[in-house]
Amino acid sequence: MKVDDIGTFNCLPPTAYCPLLSATMSLQTRSKVFGGHMTPNDGGVGETAGDGFRDECGVFGIYGHDDAARLAYLGLYQLQHRGQESCGIVASDGLLRSERAMGLVSEVFDEERLNRLPGTAAIGHTRYSTAGEVSVREAQPFLIACKHGQVAVCHNGNLPFATEERKRLERDGAIFSSTSDTEVILHRIARSRAESVEEAVPEVLCETEGAFSMLFLTPDALIAVRDPRGFRPLALGQLDGAWVVASETCAFDLIGATYVRDVEPGEMIVVTRDGMRSTSPLPERRRSFCVFEHVYFSRPDSMVYGRSVNESRHKMGKRLAVEQPADADLVVPVPDSGVAAAIGYAAESGINFRFGLVRNHYVGRTFIEPKQSIRSFGVRLKLNPVRDLIQGRSVVLIDDSIVRGTTSKKIVRLVREAGAREVHVRISCPPTVSPCYYGVDTPDKEELIAARMSVEEVRRFIEADSLGYLSMEGMLEACGLPFDTSCVACWTGRYPTRISPVAETQYAREREPVPSD
Ligand code: SF4
């Protein structure tokens, strides 16, 4: 891939308080238009990756290691599945320097670029947009200079009230360089009368509703904060005396770091040359861990909320086999996200597990393909049935969700055309009926097939011989997550926070049109 888009805020000296905060950012930015390219899709091929729910973002931070930027690069490499549009790293050797670009981590960062990021501390980000435009201007971390000195931030989550806050700031004369909700937080930190960034961060976040696992970097501190409900994960680890934080523990494995614990909801961790300090400055709220992290978003080799994701998915599959048995010859996963649940289903049911669908790992994401006519080939480009396995057999297909229903229908047709006698579909979570406002890209409610159709109607739409979903109780039990500390809003429509009406309409406006079959 040709890297043709570079955003940099390099060598920005600390300045006095700058009301034209974002003008400073723009002046420091060199950006060109990104040429569309094909990226490998690290998600599944089912609804979740094809035309439904998409990952949010991944964050990584390290303090106290001579190779900070390189370790951040490796950490982001492991978090690539959480966002494939853009990535960036800001590193500190007493001065913050930034490198950001559109594209995958492996494409964006090379030796030369990493050499431009000296220092012993770094934060990094992989982005899939859940709010804001697709442009290098939106790529994180953001780096600014204000009265507190240089501050960089990266964010996994979403702030449902950011649009109102942004309008208020704009009325006061603020200038924004991106459409990101995260930039609102930077503006408020810059305007804070607090003595330092460390004091300004909790002051601003105490008044911020929504989902945020956020990392801040200053010339001499790394700050990690998780919202009081703990929507998105954030893990804390150690490597050779350095502290590391990451969205998922798989980022620790590659660099040889040890997982210590999660950053707790409402906790702020500050790491400086004097060591690590933990405080709980944010108000207590009912915990709302996103259960979809265990169903689909996180990698199976990660620990999320202190639990193995692979174990959760395996148990979901086992429970699905008990709740929704099928008279079939083969259990076939929709790769890759349906694999762990399918193994569990096969183990519990005694039905043979086989890879009856083979995935092409080198096909780009359908959403960046230029024409609707090409898009309709999406599933065929990505999946190919193994005919001699499927021919004449009754197959139970295991997937993690049905979102719009269009991709599931294509997969069922694919398997039937390969000669399957019967196609039974089993889903390892309940019907998805509501959009997410907490950092996950979802279609709006009208496009969610289960929001407007009964299970029987969905079955007819996707042309399956039978269809069964895992129950809410079964899903939560398999994940080891109690109902009253979980967010299950995309299955119930009951949100743990107020939802801004502006966010709701803006959200609906930003969605893609429903693809036609
Ligand atoms: Fe996760 Fe769904 Fe809640 Fe969003 S609405 S945080 S995807 S459980």
Side-chain angles (χ1 to χ4, degrees):
M1 176 255 185
K2 182 168 151 284
V3 176
D4 57 0
D5 198 345
I6 303 168
T8 173
F9 301 136
N10 283 358
C11 307
L12 199 60
T15 65
Y17 170 56
C18 174
L20 297 178
L21 176 65
S22 300
T24 308
M25 296 171 70
S26 303
L27 285 170
Q28 299 293 326
T29 306
R30 291 189 288 120
S31 68
K32 294 183 254 168
V33 178
F34 174 64
H37 70 292
M38 306 284 270
T39 62
N41 182 352
D42 284 328
V45 185
E47 289 286 340
T48 39
D51 58 358
F53 281 34
R54 285 187 184 131
D55 303 349
E56 337 86 6
C57 297
V59 296
F60 182 91
I62 181 161
Y63 189 99
H65 200 289
D66 288 340
D67 269 329
R70 272 180 179 71
L71 291 165
Y73 159 76
L74 292 169
L76 293 181
Y77 198 86
Q78 291 292 87
L79 299 174
Q80 188 73 83
H81 60 289
R82 297 184 74 88
Q84 294 105 41
E85 278 179 6
S86 65
C87 58
I89 297 174
V90 169
S92 171
D93 65 351
L95 185 70
L96 302 193
R97 295 179 179 85
S98 166
E99 294 286 339
R100 308 179 301 164
M102 303 301 291
L104 302 177
V105 177
S106 58
E107 299 164 336
V108 166
F109 288 98
D110 55 17
E111 200 60 33
E112 193 186 330
R113 194 168 255 197
L114 288 170
N115 284 340
R116 294 202 291 263
L117 294 168
T120 55
I123 59 172
H125 189 257
T126 58
R127 177 174 188 261
Y128 180 78
S129 58
T130 56
E133 293 174 0
V134 179
S135 149
V136 76
R137 283 179 296 131
E138 314 291 325
Q140 297 189 22
F142 293 133
L143 169 59
I144 57 145
C146 66
K147 68 178 177 184
H148 301 300
Q150 284 184 290
V151 189
V153 65
C154 56
H155 173 201
N156 176 203
N158 194 45
L159 310 175
F161 290 91
T163 305
E164 285 95 322
E165 180 63 13
R166 182 191 182 96
K167 283 186 180 150
R168 193 183 65 71
L169 287 162
E170 282 174 341
R171 278 197 298 273
D172 283 355
I175 299 169
F176 287 83
S177 71
S178 75
T179 59
S180 164
D181 52 352
T182 315
E183 202 181 341
V184 171
I185 299 295
L186 273 181
H187 268 274
R188 294 191 55 203
I189 286 171
R191 286 161 180 247
S192 165
R193 293 178 192 281
E195 291 289 309
S196 64
V197 174
E198 192 183 325
E199 286 177 27
V201 166
E203 178 192 288
V204 169
L205 293 182
C206 271
E207 297 164 3
T208 302
E209 184 76 280
F212 50 87
S213 283
M214 251 177 208
L215 304 182
F216 296 86
L217 190 67
T218 69
D220 46 27
L222 168 69
I223 301 171
V225 199
R226 191 166 168 212
D227 71 74
R229 292 184 173 83
F231 280 108
R232 309 256 71 90
L234 193 59
L236 178 69
Q238 275 202 298
L239 171 67
D240 303 333
W243 287 98
V244 286
V245 273
S247 296
E248 292 180 37
T249 59
C250 63
F252 297 161
D253 297 336
L254 184 63
I255 62 172
T258 309
Y259 169 50
V260 175
R261 64 175 175 84
D262 282 1
V263 176
E264 292 296 322
E267 184 179 11
M268 178 169 92
I269 283 175
V270 181
V271 193
T272 65
R273 62 196 308 172
D274 298 326
M276 189 270 268
R277 277 177 286 124
S278 161
T279 55
S280 302
L282 305 186
E284 279 274 322
R285 296 274 186 266
R286 200 198 78 147
R287 294 186 173 192
S288 307
F289 299 144
C290 170
V291 179
F292 233 111
E293 291 281 351
H294 274 261
V295 172
Y296 168 67
F297 301 131
S298 296
R299 271 178 42 159
D301 51 337
S302 284
M303 300 286 289
V304 167
Y305 318 135
R307 275 184 65 86
S308 156
V309 174
N310 182 63
E311 185 63 16
S312 291
R313 289 185 191 159
H314 187 77
K315 283 187 172 159
M316 280 183 239
K318 289 182 85 168
R319 179 76 182 236
L320 186 60
V322 173
E323 292 184 9
Q324 303 288 350
D327 188 8
D329 307 314
L330 290 180
V331 175
V332 172
V334 176
D336 292 325
S337 51
V339 172
I343 292 171
Y345 194 99
E348 185 66 31
S349 65
I351 303 171
N352 274 342
F353 171 94
R354 299 299 294 267
F355 282 105
L357 288 167
V358 174
R359 180 181 159 206
N360 182 342
H361 287 258
Y362 303 96
V363 173
R365 293 168 67 97
T366 38
F367 82 96
I368 59 167
E369 288 171 7
K371 289 182 183 165
Q372 198 71 13
S373 58
I374 292 175
R375 184 185 173 121
S376 66
F377 292 116
V379 167
R380 280 192 180 278
L381 285 171
K382 289 176 177 176
L383 287 180
N384 201 31
V386 183
R387 284 179 183 273
D388 71 319
L389 271 181
I390 288 174
Q391 191 112 36
R393 301 255 166 70
S394 173
V395 171
V396 54
L397 278 178
I398 310 291
D399 204 352
D400 48 61
S401 56
I402 297 177
V403 182
R404 291 180 173 98
T406 48
T407 305
S408 295
K409 179 192 273 193
K410 288 172 191 167
I411 295 171
V412 170
R413 282 183 181 172
L414 204 65
V415 173
R416 221 184 273 286
E417 283 163 17
R421 187 163 39 84
E422 289 174 0
V423 184
H424 304 276
V425 175
R426 298 293 179 267
I427 304 297
S428 60
C429 70
T432 309
V433 295
S434 288
C436 174
Y437 298 101
Y438 306 119
V440 174
D441 182 49
T442 50
D444 60 25
K445 196 171 175 71
E446 295 70 44
E447 295 175 50
L448 295 169
I449 191 167
R452 48 191 171 80
M453 289 188 192
S454 67
V455 173
E456 173 55 18
E457 286 167 333
V458 175
R459 181 198 69 75
R460 281 205 295 269
F461 179 84
I462 66 171
E463 301 171 0
D465 290 292
S466 74
L467 169 65
Y469 292 87
L470 184 60
S471 67
M472 176 70 70
E473 189 192 12
M475 175 181 70
L476 291 172
E477 241 177 67
C479 297
L481 294 168
F483 182 82
D484 55 6
T485 59
S486 300
C487 178
V488 288
C490 50
W491 297 289
T492 62
R494 290 193 292 277
Y495 295 94
T497 67
R498 292 176 302 130
I499 296 299
S500 149
V502 177
E504 280 182 285
T505 47
Q506 181 187 344
Y507 191 87
R509 230 182 13 249
E510 285 174 357
R511 298 307 92 194
E512 292 178 278
V514 185
S516 57
D517 266 334

